Amino acid sequence: MLEVSNISVTYGQHHALSDAALHVERGEIIVILGANGAGKSSLLKAIAGLLPSPAKIVKLAGRDLSRLPPHEIVESGLALVPEGRGVFGELTVAENLLLGANPKRARAVEAAQRAKVMTLFPRLGERLAQTVRTMSGGEQQMVAIGRALMSNPDILLLDEPSLGLSPLLVRELFAALRKVRETGVGLLLVEQNARESLAIADRGYLIENGKITGSGIAAALQSDDAVRRAYLGGLASEAI
Amino acid sequence: MTNAVLTGLVLGGMYALIAMGLTLQYGVARIMNLSYGEFLIGAAFASYWLFTGWALNPLAGLAFVIPVSFGISYLLYRVLLTPLVRRARTRDALEVDSILATFGMMFIVQGIMLTMFGGAYFSYSFLAVPVTVVGEVLALNRLIAFGLAVVVGLALYLTLTRTRIGTSIRAVAVDPIAAQLVAIDVTRTSALAFALGGALVASAGVLISMFLTFSATSGVVFTMKALIVVVMGGVGNLLGCLVAGLALGLSEALVATFIDPGLTLAVNFALFLGVLLVKPAGIFGRAQR
């Protein structure tokens, strides 16, 4: 479904990411694990066209998106929920969702998508007239994901959706992502919360110092000693 | 007293309308347009020319002036300003560049108008019929100008809040990066907002020409007043434009009637500074960034 390769991102002299490649299929949850500053966010931003990556190759269902500007990438079926959510704080929930359905591909199915989002996040339905800035972090994350889903994407990219949420909310959020997968959308998830994200993922990639250093099915990664030491054990001790 | 208030409301309605256009250009397209008032005067001359040369009613002239000014502003953004947008690394850099570019443009537009019309003051008599409103006599042209300003302002407000394209324009004002993520072409939408601002100031120019005298060099006064109103109301806020515009118009009329007409500019700035001392981001502005 989504195939990307040759993704390199540089900030001045610093190589944030070199030659990353991965693929995501329909109805699959893929998680990218890595420490802070490993290049995870840069990877998603480069795929979405927000960061320049001159030699990148991005193909969605065989269509070449490598040279498209960000707004046309969304139009082609790839939606990003950015780090820090990127919601329109000054606008209402309803307006954010309306804007989500801005791509032409979303117009015909707008009502159906809205119904899906409302079932997924019933709380948004109760708060349609609320200004997003005044909502809690968890609710804003729902708005961000809901808005991305309104664009009727084939693939959804999520940058640290669990950041800043309570454990209970994280579980709720990941349950919702699982439901999104059931609708046939492919999810590419960047996470620091390795334990929870591996639990819902089908496959995973490991990223270290700007390079993809490993990949595998989620169950195998969960029981891999190196992964346990680097992400699962480390995370548990961080939490204390 | 009543007369001063009515005069102030009419004037304030005009200021609000002018400021709404500038807040679109500055708040959405991020262009601080110093030649803004020149476009108002340009439209006033167009209206004068249509009325005296072709006997065309200024209100009918609006149907001609609005689309033309929209087109000119759109092209201006696309041809002259888009290169600046492309090369600007940050919003602040774009602001500085756009100030310099539009400052130059101000002299060009002004120079053209001076060559065509000279430096004299112009006016024409259209619907200068006295009508009685709440016991006071007012010229009909002022009343119509005020009514149309209300209609245009309301139409703009409804477009921005009730339609998808209007919501997109506001989204670009709030967060141009995130706007790309909902498939908004930010450059195109900015051009649209800039052109819409140009159309608004042109319609204000036509309305003002019906009851005020103007010359090729009086644009700068309107640029300055629009700026004061926008900053005082809070950048990008239409309601702020309305409140600040009316406050400015009323204060001018009251001071001119009861103290001295020479003090209107002074009271402009006293009000401006007073508001900014209490609310640095404007009446409806939120401190951000």
Side-chain angles (χ1 to χ4, degrees):
Chain A
M1 190 76 207
L2 172 70
E3 280 175 69
V4 301
S5 55
N6 270 4
I7 304 242
S8 302
V9 174
T10 54
Y11 297 101
Q13 294 293 309
H14 171 65
H15 291 258
L17 198 63
S18 16
D19 280 334
L22 54 83
H23 67 100
V24 185
E25 301 306 323
R26 213 170 245 295
E28 215 182 17
I29 296 183
I30 307 298
V31 62
I32 302 172
L33 297 175
N36 250 339
K40 300 175 308 229
S41 290
S42 302
L43 176 61
L44 290 196
K45 281 188 189 160
I47 295 175
L50 290 180
L51 277 180
S53 178
K56 75 169 175 180
I57 298 170
V58 177
K59 281 190 176 153
L60 183 63
R63 215 183 135 216
D64 188 10
L65 313 184
S66 314
R67 299 284 158 270
L68 296 184
H71 64 269
E72 283 177 36
I73 290 179
V74 186
E75 198 72 70
S76 311
L78 200 67
L80 168 68
V81 179
E83 196 180 5
R85 304 178 190 115
V87 288
F88 300 110
E90 305 297 311
L91 306 187
T92 65
V93 173
E95 286 169 338
N96 269 274
L97 296 181
L98 176 85
L99 286 169
N102 216 18
K104 283 172 209 80
R105 69 189 332 261
R107 300 286 174 88
V109 292
E110 187 170 351
Q113 289 299 114
R114 187 183 304 270
K116 267 187 216 167
V117 171
M118 293 302 146
T119 339
L120 205 56
F121 304 117
R123 221 169 314 173
L124 294 189
E126 300 158 14
R127 308 265 168 107
L128 283 175
Q130 190 168 349
T131 306
V132 172
R133 184 176 42 80
T134 65
M135 300 173 97
S136 73
E139 289 164 344
Q140 290 194 20
Q141 190 59 258
M142 290 177 199
V143 175
I145 296 173
R147 189 185 72 184
L149 285 175
M150 288 299 291
S151 73
N152 185 24
D154 293 324
I155 301 285
L156 190 58
L157 312 177
L158 297 124
D159 198 347
E160 306 246 14
S162 75
L163 198 70
L165 303 190
S166 73
L168 186 70
L169 275 175
V170 171
R171 221 154 291 154
E172 248 178 62
L173 176 76
F174 282 10
L177 294 184
R178 225 182 238 160
K179 283 187 201 145
V180 172
R181 166 174 60 185
E182 283 163 18
T183 64
V185 176
L187 289 94
L188 179 59
L189 189 65
V190 153
E191 263 299 341
Q192 289 202 53
N193 190 337
R195 193 180 303 275
E196 296 281 348
S197 56
L198 277 176
I200 62 159
D202 299 294
R203 289 186 295 120
Y205 292 87
L206 308 178
I207 188 164
E208 261 175 79
N209 296 323
K211 287 202 172 63
I212 291 189
T213 53
S215 66
I217 59 168
L221 290 176
Q222 263 174 321
S223 54
D224 185 275
D225 276 344
V227 174
R228 290 187 80 95
R229 250 195 316 275
Y231 301 109
L232 298 171
L235 202 93
S237 64
E238 263 172 38
I240 292 166
Chain B
M1 179 69 190
T2 324
N3 201 300
V5 170
L6 285 177
T7 310
L9 279 178
V10 171
L11 211 55
M14 292 299 132
Y15 290 156
L17 185 65
I18 298 170
M20 281 176 188
L22 188 69
T23 210
L24 272 180
Q25 294 194 339
Y26 183 50
V28 181
R30 295 282 145 191
I31 301 292
M32 177 38 76
N33 186 0
L34 288 188
S35 63
Y36 191 68
E38 266 52 48
F39 288 89
L40 184 143
I41 298 301
F45 272 121
S47 181
Y48 173 83
W49 178 69
L50 287 172
F51 185 69
T52 54
W54 301 81
L56 189 66
N57 180 330
L59 299 176
L62 275 177
F64 168 78
V65 171
I66 289 180
V68 168
S69 56
F70 184 91
I72 290 176
S73 292
Y74 189 86
L75 281 179
L76 207 62
Y77 186 85
R78 275 293 156 127
V79 177
L80 191 75
L81 298 170
T82 305
L84 298 183
V85 176
R86 290 245 165 79
R87 70 167 209 183
R89 290 180 167 271
T90 62
R91 281 181 172 196
D92 294 341
L94 176 59
E95 232 171 277
V96 174
D97 286 354
S98 69
I99 285 175
L100 289 174
T102 56
F103 191 49
M105 198 150 66
M106 181 184 94
F107 290 112
I108 295 174
V109 180
Q110 213 176 78
I112 293 174
M113 290 192 299
L114 275 171
T115 325
M116 286 173 71
F117 298 97
Y121 276 86
F122 286 77
S123 67
Y124 55 90
S125 176
F126 170 69
L127 288 185
V129 203
V131 282
T132 312
V133 186
V134 286
E136 292 287 338
V137 178
L138 207 67
L140 181 60
N141 50 29
R142 284 183 186 241
L143 213 58
I144 288 180
F146 181 71
L148 277 178
V150 171
V151 169
V152 172
L154 201 65
L156 178 70
Y157 177 77
L158 290 177
T159 308
L160 287 183
T161 52
R162 301 288 156 86
T163 67
R164 190 186 295 276
I165 184 77
T167 314
S168 301
I169 288 177
R170 284 192 295 145
V172 173
V174 172
D175 189 342
I177 306 275
Q180 303 177 73
L181 296 177
V182 293
I184 292 173
D185 184 341
V186 174
T187 317
R188 211 183 65 106
T189 309
S190 298
L192 185 70
F194 189 83
L196 213 54
L200 273 175
V201 74
S203 64
V206 171
L207 296 180
I208 284 175
S209 75
M210 300 192 321
F211 63 90
L212 281 188
T213 55
F214 54 92
S215 77
T217 50
S218 43
V220 63
V221 178
F222 291 102
T223 306
M224 192 191 71
K225 287 192 178 163
L227 260 174
I228 289 180
V229 172
V230 166
V231 174
M232 201 156 77
V235 173
N237 192 310
L238 289 185
L239 195 61
C241 285
L242 183 67
V243 173
L246 288 179
L248 201 67
L250 280 173
S251 65
E252 275 187 17
L254 290 174
V255 166
T257 313
F258 295 110
I259 305 175
D260 190 301
L263 283 176
T264 50
L265 269 185
V267 78
N268 276 176
F269 281 101
L271 190 67
F272 181 54
L273 290 175
V275 167
L276 290 198
L277 277 177
V278 184
K279 296 212 70 178
I283 302 171
F284 292 97
R286 263 180 222 101
Q288 50 181 212
R289 275 178 291 161

